Amino acid sequence: MAVMAAALAVGMGQAVGVGQAGAMPVHPPGTQPVSGTLEPALDCVPAPEQPNPVVILGGFGAVGDIRATLDKQMAGITGGIRDIGGCPLIFGYGIIGPMQAAAPVSESAGQLRDFVTKVLAATGAPKVDIVAHSSGALIANYYLKFLHGGPSVDRAVYLAPVTAGTNAATLIGGRDLPGSPDGLAGILTDATNPLRDTVFRGVQGALDCLAGSQVTTALLAGGLTVPGVHYSVLATRGDQVLTPPGTASFIDDPTVENDFFEDLYPDAGLSTHATLPMHPDAAGWVIERLLTE
């Protein structure tokens, strides 16, 4: 996910408050969004057999040339969707500096809400499907649960999603800060540490991915799923970012299909958090979920 390198790069630029994320507002009243988006052209006409446009959300791995990174990462999925007559629409959200998903989850979810509204208006479709990787699923879940997204979404198909959240050590990939007795993980989890404003400013989206953050806590409270939306989750036992694997990603609801990649495709080998969306078998799994009635 390369969060730490990007966090440090963005952190020296435009600042975003790094206190715990607000519960429901898209962004604080009286302020303007601090992040940008990348929207695809809305010129695809869905085939009758696959009427739902598919909004695709990547995660923190999109750093630098965000469009090229997302296109490469999702190539197998977008190609498979086109093959079944669907319209794949990769949406970049929460962009600050060179990094996607840096903005607060609440703000990124508001951007997703606005984009889905545009998609439905442009295509005439009654609903969209969402395919999301990593923090993209956290954005989707916030939109569905808190921004009244349920009536506009049919399927939510997640690859290694941030669900229960992860811990600071794995989020930053084991990196450390020389000269700091607390280490980066300690700084990240201590909202009272003044170094947090310096090192992690501009990446509230990363802080929102922590287990126990205000965002993950609010989403899990009372159940994460929204009636009428069909959820599917594919995690990987080789996930080194969302730990423990499975526990951090699976949705605790009997109506949700939770699977490990390695259990479904034992001959495919171990996948990592970052490579899961690029694996042909994972792309095939996504297409199967989109075709399920």
Side-chain angles (χ1 to χ4, degrees), residues 132-147:
H133 173 234
S134 189
S135 61
L138 192 64
I139 304 304
N141 287 333
Y142 196 105
Y143 160 64
L144 289 168
K145 183 169 181 177
F146 296 137
L147 302 185

Side-chain angles (χ1 to χ4, degrees), residues 109-110 112-114 116-117 120 126-130 139-156 158 224-231:
L112 173 60
R113 174 200 58 197
D114 295 345
V116 169
T117 299
L120 296 180
K127 293 189 177 186
V128 302
D129 294 328
I130 292 178
I139 304 304
N141 287 333
Y142 196 105
Y143 160 64
L144 289 168
K145 183 169 181 177
F146 296 137
L147 302 185
H148 195 57
S152 299
V153 177
D154 188 3
R155 301 175 184 88
Y158 296 156
L224 183 146
T225 58
V226 172
V229 179
H230 305 280
Y231 295 80

